[in-house]
């Protein structure tokens, strides 16, 4: 069972949006996905209520209970846990980072988000976690100097995942229905970006142990 935490000490970067869309894309790719919502805003709990289906369970788990809960989920055959976190440093955020095989740090191509990424990266390093960045909400043309500079800054900090994720209405529309972008518009560009992002994440994560795969 692999665990990804979406973390950055900045609201609005796209943690919950990417968490929900990646959860759906991973499920479509055959993973048994479980979301843990550690943000007091409970964004993904609400997303799940609107979704209505129980195919991707979403639970609130306090930081102190995270390890035992993860042990139970692994025994139940969950293959991927996605942890969504608040936009502030907290016990919850730290617990999520400690538990994660990979810390995914979303940032928009602007100075404030990039500074916040640096803070989160520092924490991930202190906790000896593997981390990488996702540049989110880029202007769809992807050509602006601001986006290029943002991508360069994140690459320099170590590990920018491909592709860049564009600002697209599909992300907001999907959220409104409790869906991922690949459910809203399976052949759309947002869906394509999320599928490619999921492939990049899969390549980046440590491989499952053979024993687990066989189980
Ligand atoms: N790629 C995107 N394209 C368009 N809107 C986006 C995208 N990513 C996030 N958003 C919007 O930005 C806002 C903040 O995103 P959210 O996922 O809630 O951020 P966080 O969880 O980091 O606070 C939301 O309104 C969401 O719909
Ligand atoms: Mg959020």
């Amino acid at each position: 069972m692999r665990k990804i935490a979406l973390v950055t000490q900045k609201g609005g970067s796209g943690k919950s949006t990417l968490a929900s869309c990646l959860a759906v894309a991973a499920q479509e790719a055959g993973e048994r996905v479980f979301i843990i919502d550690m943000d007091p805003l409970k964004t993904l709990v609400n997303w799940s209520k609107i979704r209505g289906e129980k195919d991707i369970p979403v639970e609130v788990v306090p930081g102190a209970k995270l390890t035992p809960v993860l042990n139970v989920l692994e025994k139940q055959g969950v293959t991927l846990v996605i942890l969504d976190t608040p936009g502030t440093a907290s016990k919850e955020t730290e617990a999520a980072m400690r538990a994660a095989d990979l810390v995914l740090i979303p940032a928009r191509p602007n100075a404030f988000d990039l500074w916040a990424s640096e803070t989160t990266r520092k924490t991930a390093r202190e906790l000896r976690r593997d981390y990488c960045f996702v540049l989110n909400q880029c202007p769809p043309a992807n050509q602006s100097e601001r986006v290029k500079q943002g991508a360069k800054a994140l690459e320099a900090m170590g590990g920018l995942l491909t592709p860049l994720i564009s600002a697209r209405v599909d992300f907001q529309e999907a959220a409104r229905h409790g869906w991922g972008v690949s459910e809203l518009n399976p052949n759309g560009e947002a869906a394509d970006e999320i599928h490619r992002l999921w492939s990049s994440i899969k390549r980046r994560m440590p491989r499952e142990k053979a024993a687990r795969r066989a189980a």
Side-chain angles (χ1 to χ4, degrees):
M1 185 179 82
R2 293 179 290 185
K3 292 143 277 172
I4 305 171
L6 284 111
V7 185
T8 185
Q9 268 106 71
K10 186 86 175 59
S13 307
K15 293 179 289 297
S16 304
T17 301
L18 295 175
S20 53
C21 290
L22 285 169
V24 170
Q27 191 208 37
E28 287 167 352
E31 301 279 342
R32 272 195 62 191
V33 185
F34 197 101
I35 294 176
I36 296 185
D37 188 350
M38 303 189 80
D39 186 349
L41 288 176
K42 298 192 180 161
T43 306
L44 294 186
V45 171
N46 290 329
W47 173 81
S48 172
K49 277 188 197 151
I50 297 167
R51 184 174 182 81
E53 290 174 42
K54 298 268 182 282
D55 58 337
I56 303 178
V58 181
E59 291 289 338
V60 173
V61 179
K65 296 234 171 86
L66 189 55
T67 306
V69 167
L70 289 173
N71 288 337
V72 170
L73 293 178
E74 182 153 28
K75 287 196 186 107
Q76 288 176 351
V78 170
T79 61
L80 178 73
V81 175
I82 298 185
L83 299 132
D84 190 25
T85 66
T88 49
S90 68
K91 279 188 188 149
E92 268 53 52
T93 307
E94 187 179 324
M97 283 175 112
R98 281 188 190 283
D101 300 305
L102 181 64
V103 175
L104 212 58
I105 308 175
R108 290 165 291 192
N110 67 51
F112 294 172
D113 273 34
L114 295 172
W115 296 337
S117 306
E118 174 59 42
T119 308
T120 308
R121 173 184 90 133
K122 210 167 143 238
T123 313
R125 283 174 78 115
E126 281 163 10
L127 297 174
R128 296 173 188 279
R129 297 290 90 197
D130 192 14
Y131 61 85
C132 48
F133 301 96
V134 184
L135 204 54
N136 185 30
Q137 302 187 49
C138 300
N142 272 346
Q143 293 303 329
S144 85
E145 201 48 39
R146 187 165 60 88
V147 172
K148 279 189 203 152
Q149 278 181 9
K152 243 171 133 179
L154 295 177
E155 267 162 16
M157 280 198 263
L160 173 64
L161 287 179
T162 54
L164 307 187
I165 306 296
S166 306
R168 296 186 193 279
V169 175
D170 273 12
F171 285 98
Q172 298 176 4
E173 271 302 298
R176 208 160 63 83
H177 295 285
W179 295 336
V181 283
S182 50
E183 292 170 314
L184 177 82
N185 185 2
N187 299 316
E189 286 171 306
D192 180 54
E193 286 174 354
I194 285 294
H195 284 138
R196 284 159 57 209
L197 182 63
W198 169 239
S199 298
S200 296
I201 292 170
K202 240 171 48 180
R203 277 198 300 275
R204 177 69 187 241
M205 277 194 296
R207 289 182 138 239
E208 285 272 48
K209 285 183 200 131
R212 290 265 167 251
R213 272 208 307 273

